[in-house]
């Protein structure tokens, strides 16, 4: 079991390294997910998040559509999840 401290690390780079360790069969514990750094301008990051958060399905928006979390641990989880082949058996076991 390895521990990864995300404090003052760029989110995408740290998530890719964590995904690589998970795909190799390691077990990870992630610390300080809320202190990970998202790179870019504040305006650009907020525009992208608000645009994605506003996406909804045309039929029933409570049942369909992208569900985005505001929790930092869930943002880290989803960033790692999308770097793994999570629709295949190898990715599901790694996740």
């Amino acid at each position: 079991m390895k521990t990864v401290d995300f404090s003052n690390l760029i989110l995408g780079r740290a998530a890719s390294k964590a995904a690589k360790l998970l795909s190799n069969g390691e077990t990870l514990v992630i610390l300080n997910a809320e202190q990970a750094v998202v790179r870019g301008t504040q305006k650009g990051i907020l525009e992208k998040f608000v645009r994605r958060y506003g996406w909804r399905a045309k039929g029933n928006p409570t049942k369909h559509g992208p569900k985005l979390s505001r929790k930092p641990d869930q943002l880290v989880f989803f960033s790692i999840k999308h770097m793994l082949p999570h629709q295949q058996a190898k990715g599901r076991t790694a996740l």
Side-chain angles (χ1 to χ4, degrees):
M1 179 187 311
K2 289 190 176 186
T3 59
V4 180
D5 188 12
F6 268 44
S7 61
N8 297 324
L9 294 179
I10 296 174
L11 177 64
R13 292 181 184 182
S16 66
K17 301 225 184 219
K20 184 72 170 180
L21 289 172
L22 285 172
S23 65
N24 289 335
E26 296 282 338
T27 304
L28 292 181
V29 175
I30 295 176
L31 303 174
N32 299 324
E34 67 276 358
Q35 295 177 2
V37 177
V38 179
R39 189 134 188 237
T41 64
Q42 183 177 5
K43 182 180 177 183
I45 293 167
L46 289 177
E47 283 177 1
K48 187 175 182 181
F49 182 77
V50 168
R51 187 180 71 234
R52 286 185 179 174
Y53 197 76
W55 287 343
R56 292 288 180 244
K58 292 181 181 177
N60 188 351
T62 59
K63 291 186 179 179
H64 304 290
K67 304 291 192 282
L68 295 176
S69 178
R70 295 182 184 195
K71 299 176 189 174
D73 59 336
Q74 290 296 314
L75 288 172
V76 170
F77 174 77
F78 284 121
S79 64
I80 293 172
K81 176 184 175 181
H82 290 291
M83 291 184 185
L84 290 170
H86 61 275
Q87 295 178 348
Q88 297 175 359
K90 180 183 177 183
R92 282 193 298 268
T93 57
L95 192 60

